[in-house]
Amino acid sequence: MAPRPLTAVAVAGVALLVRRSLRRRIQASPLWPMPALEEPVSGRPRTRGVRLRVASREAVAEGVVQLRLAGSELPRWEPGAHLDLVLPSGLVRQYSLCGDPDDTSSYTVAARLVEGGRGGSREVHEELREGVEVEVRGPRNRFPLVAGAPAYAFVAGGIGITPILPMLRALPEDVEWRLLYCGRSRASMPFLEEVEKLGAGRATVVEGRGELDAFLGELAEGTAVYCCGPEGLAAAVEERVPGVRLERFGAAGALAGDVAFEVELRRSERVLTVGADTSVLAAVRAELPDTLYSCEQGFCGTCRQRVLEGEVDHRDELLTDRERADSMLVCVSRARGGRLVLDM
């Protein structure tokens, strides 16, 4: 006898509820069911990407190219936001948006060629020509412009001007601000002409680091201070202004006082020692060479792993406080204490 229509509907409804319940259960616990999750947290990019076309490419300084990536109905962004570019080789690199936040037809980024780097910038310069498609994730903003400050002070080092430039454009005309823009030479400093036009009387352009003490020494109370640049410049500004809002070219990395610690890989039944001068990722890949990773700077999220036990010293630039409660980026973060247990 064929099932009655109402019975068939009821059975289908129960099956749907069971599947949804199982999916929620699987997402909530990486250890059930074993050995694998339906959608693993570990070793997965955080966001899905879209494919954009390189609509234009322009040299904007010595060793710096600007790319306009065309699409349609793209999300609007706020000054300070960045994109993840998934390069043709699979490498993921992060670049600050430096175009118009209201332009929903394209995103604009700029990249400096880093000689002796890890290959990402060279791939951008050599492979991303007009007409090439590239996968993009984001935008995300970990460096937002705070509204309503009585005054602003910006320090940019070379390509570090890219997230700051949209901030300068966005500030109301009557707001007090000043900028210290440093670079190896004027020829190597992108967007210099626009900076000098925007900051007539307020922007100081110098070759070298410049006089930070003079620039930061007499800040009015409540001044919002921003810095984007290489680690040496960022550390020097942070030393003088502990509350500075920072965006570094790379993660904080190894620090003085780092010590060795143990990492247990629960599912693999292995215990590793992470040296004071190496990363969790490096130690894990020595045992599990197929472990996914990409940026190695705490930006992209590919190496994110579930933490089952232990306290983490988070050094990434990506995870939210909620995400940090039970996961870490093993390329940069370490144990705050003697031992971590990971779901690997």
Side-chain angles (χ1 to χ4, degrees):
M1 179 183 294
R4 295 180 181 179
L6 290 179
T7 302
V9 170
V11 170
V14 170
L16 178 61
L17 290 175
V18 169
R19 285 198 299 271
R20 288 178 176 175
S21 176
L22 286 173
R23 186 176 296 112
R24 286 195 296 270
R25 182 68 181 89
I26 290 167
Q27 292 171 343
S29 174
L31 298 179
W32 187 94
M34 293 183 73
L37 295 171
E38 181 182 21
E39 294 289 341
V41 169
S42 298
R44 297 289 182 179
R46 298 179 78 246
T47 58
R48 295 182 181 275
V50 297
R51 297 196 67 81
L52 303 182
R53 178 179 54 85
V54 180
S56 66
R57 170 192 168 98
E58 178 186 359
V60 292
E62 288 182 355
V64 180
V65 294
Q66 175 182 277
L67 304 176
R68 186 170 67 84
L69 309 174
S72 62
E73 299 182 0
L74 301 175
R76 190 185 180 281
W77 51 277
E78 299 293 336
H82 72 269
L83 293 177
D84 296 342
L85 265 60
V86 184
L87 303 177
S89 67
L91 290 175
V92 180
R93 294 294 182 264
Q94 290 67 38
Y95 295 100
S96 296
L97 287 157
C98 55
D100 179 0
D102 292 321
D103 180 4
T104 59
S105 65
S106 68
Y107 290 140
T108 300
V109 298
R112 179 180 298 284
L113 177 62
V114 180
E115 298 290 352
R118 293 172 299 121
S121 67
R122 182 165 297 281
E123 190 171 354
V124 170
H125 278 248
E126 295 180 354
E127 302 294 335
L128 298 190
R129 304 289 177 176
E130 290 187 16
V132 171
E133 286 193 348
V134 61
E135 182 181 345
V136 168
R137 299 175 189 150
R140 295 195 302 271
N141 199 343
R142 303 285 289 186
F143 191 51
L145 178 66
V146 62
Y152 297 82
F154 302 93
V155 180
I159 196 67
I161 193 64
T162 49
I164 288 176
L165 188 57
M167 296 182 182
L168 302 183
R169 298 183 189 129
L171 289 175
E173 292 185 4
D174 59 346
V175 168
E176 178 185 344
W177 65 266
R178 51 186 169 138
L179 165 70
L180 178 63
Y181 184 16
C182 314
R184 294 192 308 273
S185 66
R186 291 180 63 88
S188 70
M189 300 167 72
F191 310 114
L192 185 56
E193 184 176 343
E194 182 178 359
V195 167
E196 292 182 324
K197 183 177 180 180
L198 276 172
R202 296 187 282 193
T204 301
V205 178
V206 297
E207 295 179 337
R209 179 174 292 181
E211 294 295 331
L212 290 177
D213 289 330
F215 182 77
L216 299 170
E218 299 181 359
L219 297 175
E221 184 178 354
T223 298
V225 182
Y226 286 79
C227 175
C228 182
E231 177 59 30
L233 178 65
V237 174
E238 190 172 29
E239 180 181 352
R240 290 162 173 80
V241 185
V244 62
R245 295 165 173 84
L246 282 174
E247 184 161 84
R248 294 176 165 90
F249 290 167
L255 301 175
D258 281 348
V259 298
F261 58 94
E262 284 189 348
V263 173
E264 177 187 342
L265 309 182
R266 178 64 54 83
R267 284 189 283 170
S268 301
E269 298 183 345
R270 307 186 195 193
V271 176
L272 316 177
T273 297
V274 179
D277 58 350
T278 192
S279 67
V280 177
L281 175 64
V284 168
R285 281 182 55 81
E287 295 288 329
L288 304 177
D290 292 335
T291 301
L292 296 180
Y293 72 102
S294 184
C295 76
E296 298 182 78
Q297 298 184 70
F299 291 133
C300 74
T302 304
C303 70
R304 180 182 172 189
Q305 303 292 342
R306 181 80 73 177
V307 179
L308 304 178
E309 296 177 20
E311 186 178 0
V312 180
D313 177 8
H314 292 284
R315 301 182 184 181
D316 65 274
E317 300 289 339
L318 180 68
L319 300 182
T320 65
D321 289 343
R322 182 175 179 179
E323 291 167 336
R324 288 179 173 184
D326 63 358
S327 60
M328 67 183 289
L329 301 191
V330 295
C331 65
V332 292
S333 297
R334 302 179 65 82
R336 191 185 301 277
R339 184 181 177 89
L340 291 174
V341 180
L342 302 181
D343 172 38
M344 297 183 71

